[in-house]
Amino acid sequence: MGEFVPRFERAFAELCEVPHAVACSNGTTALHLAMESLSIGPGDEVIIPAFTLIVSANTVLQTGAKPVLVDVRPDTWCIDPALIERKITPRTRAILCVHMYGHPCDMEAIVRIADRHGVYVIEDAAQAHGATVKDRPVGSWGDAGCFSFYANKILTTGEGGMVVSHRREVADRAALLRNQAFEQVRFVHREVGFNYRMTNMQAAIGLAQCENFPDRIRRKKELAERYDELLRDDSDFDRPVQLPHCRNVYWMYGIVLKPSFGRAMPEVRRMLSEAGIETRAFFVPLNLQPVFQGRHPRWPDLRGEYPVSESLGGNGLYLPSGFELTPEDQAFVVERLRTCKR
Ligand SMILES: *Cc1c(COP(=O)(O)O)cnc(C)c1O
């Protein structure tokens, strides 16, 4: 934690238009740190989307709280605000929303619900650096915003993470807990902390990436626009959307195969792979994860239905979305994708 760490924190806070940022070791520790800084713990419930990376549930469990699942919207693939309120109980402490594949959640609706019920909003913006709602960056809407700088993220330090916040007390507590809760008087501790520090070397890389951040965002948009153009007239799958007043940063270009496509997603992925095209399946919804099938008081509730999450998990995949793709690469991907139809 040398001089580059605070410099990277300041630069990244500026990108997010927030006064405070605390760098940490990865996106997972950023989420855990944010929840610990808001004193979320045993006995509490945290609302998360059913369609997300397992990290959303795991970090809630790590605090001792219980994750509660809510289905997502079929268009943005983000948590559906219309379904949140029925899952709020007297134990609910926070809504942890995930900006999926680059599209922001409906932050106005989520903040309104949170205010009405006196619960926190934590944003997982690991896939959406630079996305905005009404020109306001993700990460700046909630009580805390969490970012990952893992190797495949829009901005990367190899491994790395950041908690951003408007609230000084949240950032101060995150900074304290990040470093074993060391205080002024060395080796006297009043809290249980962690080693979630970022190294100086990673921060130097992050700082340099902040400088060419607008280029990175532009490049992702270019790639998405080209796929959109190539796929425009095709109604056999859903493509990423960009809702009014939102900026999608298209971290990954996902498609969801419709029944009319005629072939199942795993087989399509296999055929593309044989043509030398690497893809990824969408997330397996949390309610279908083997790890949560047993009985445990803190495992997420599997009752209730998550039809959108299940349909996305079963039929979604993302196409090559790397910065180095050429227009020819993209045309080849789309041509091969079409040959998979039946
Ligand atoms: C990548 C990612 C994380 C975890 O970040 P790491 O840096 O890999 O720990 C958390 N949430 C989402 C939505 C992610 O995409």
Side-chain angles (χ1 to χ4, degrees):
M1 293 227 300
E3 56 157 322
F4 280 105
V5 174
R7 286 178 62 187
F8 179 32
E9 288 173 340
R10 274 195 299 277
F12 195 74
E14 213 166 287
L15 289 182
C16 296
E17 297 174 19
V18 292
H20 310 290
V22 177
C24 58
S25 49
N26 56 58
T28 306
T29 55
L31 285 164
H32 183 225
L33 202 50
M35 284 188 268
E36 291 284 347
S37 300
L38 293 166
S39 299
I40 291 168
D44 296 337
E45 293 177 356
V46 177
I47 288 178
I48 64 174
F51 180 67
T52 178
L53 192 62
I54 193 90
V55 171
S56 309
N58 287 353
T59 48
V60 172
L61 290 168
Q62 212 182 335
T63 66
K66 177 184 160 92
V68 173
L69 307 183
V70 168
D71 207 1
V72 296
R73 290 175 54 132
D75 51 358
T76 62
W77 311 331
C78 296
I79 193 166
D80 188 343
L83 303 176
I84 291 178
E85 264 180 320
R86 67 190 72 163
K87 295 290 185 93
I88 290 183
T89 75
R91 292 170 180 266
T92 307
R93 291 290 308 287
I95 302 166
L96 196 172
C97 58
V98 183
H99 306 298
M100 193 54 62
Y101 300 139
H103 196 290
C105 298
D106 183 348
M107 292 316 298
E108 285 185 309
I110 291 168
V111 167
R112 207 179 309 126
I113 293 166
D115 285 349
R116 186 152 57 225
H117 294 273
V119 305
Y120 297 127
V121 173
I122 301 164
E123 293 175 73
D124 180 344
Q127 307 185 346
H129 317 61
T132 59
V133 179
K134 295 210 161 152
D135 292 327
R136 207 171 135 187
V138 297
S140 72
W141 284 84
D143 295 276
C146 303
F147 290 84
S148 164
F149 307 122
Y150 177 63
N152 68 357
K153 301 295 159 86
I154 293 178
L155 202 148
T156 177
T157 60
E159 295 273 7
M162 191 84 79
V163 178
V164 303
S165 185
H166 280 293
R167 299 176 48 191
R168 167 172 291 281
E169 69 279 15
V170 174
D172 284 352
R173 203 166 139 77
L176 178 75
L177 299 179
R178 161 181 69 178
N179 189 21
Q180 317 283 24
F182 273 117
E183 294 190 44
Q184 296 289 34
V185 183
R186 199 88 180 151
F187 304 124
V188 177
H189 303 267
R190 287 183 288 187
E191 298 231 45
V192 176
F194 319 100
N195 171 5
Y196 285 172
R197 296 181 300 258
M198 174 178 274
T199 67
N200 201 35
M201 193 169 63
Q202 289 168 295
I205 295 168
L207 184 62
Q209 297 220 345
C210 286
E211 284 161 15
N212 67 16
F213 184 66
D215 293 334
R216 294 177 159 263
I217 299 294
R218 204 172 304 128
R219 183 78 188 114
K220 286 288 189 191
K221 187 173 156 68
E222 251 171 44
L223 290 166
E225 281 172 351
R226 185 164 297 276
Y227 273 134
D228 275 346
E229 207 176 287
L230 291 163
L231 296 170
R232 192 177 321 274
D233 304 321
D234 207 316
S235 56
D236 292 329
F237 36 72
D238 290 325
R239 295 182 278 122
V241 296
Q242 180 171 259
L243 293 192
H245 312 297
C246 291
R247 174 157 83 162
N248 187 345
V249 288
Y250 302 102
W251 172 59
M252 291 291 166
Y253 193 93
I255 59 169
V256 183
L257 307 179
K258 294 186 188 168
S260 62
F261 193 91
R263 207 181 286 272
M265 180 271 284
E267 208 190 332
V268 172
R269 291 196 59 224
R270 188 185 51 71
M271 289 171 73
L272 291 174
S273 166
E274 278 167 9
I277 297 167
E278 192 181 3
T279 59
R280 287 273 191 287
F282 272 18
F283 299 121
V284 174
L286 297 182
N287 58 302
L288 300 182
Q289 293 292 347
V291 62
F292 296 136
Q293 298 308 309
R295 272 171 190 274
H296 185 294
R298 286 198 297 126
W299 280 177
D301 189 351
L302 305 182
R303 286 171 306 172
E305 291 185 5
Y306 309 100
V308 180
S309 298
E310 289 180 18
S311 158
L312 293 175
N315 304 302
L317 70 156
Y318 45 92
L319 302 179
S321 304
F323 288 109
E324 310 299 326
L325 280 179
T326 65
E328 294 72 35
D329 291 335
Q330 290 185 277
F332 176 67
V333 169
V334 169
E335 181 223 305
R336 296 309 301 225
L337 180 64
R338 290 227 166 89
T339 66
C340 299
K341 285 192 197 184
R342 204 154 37 186

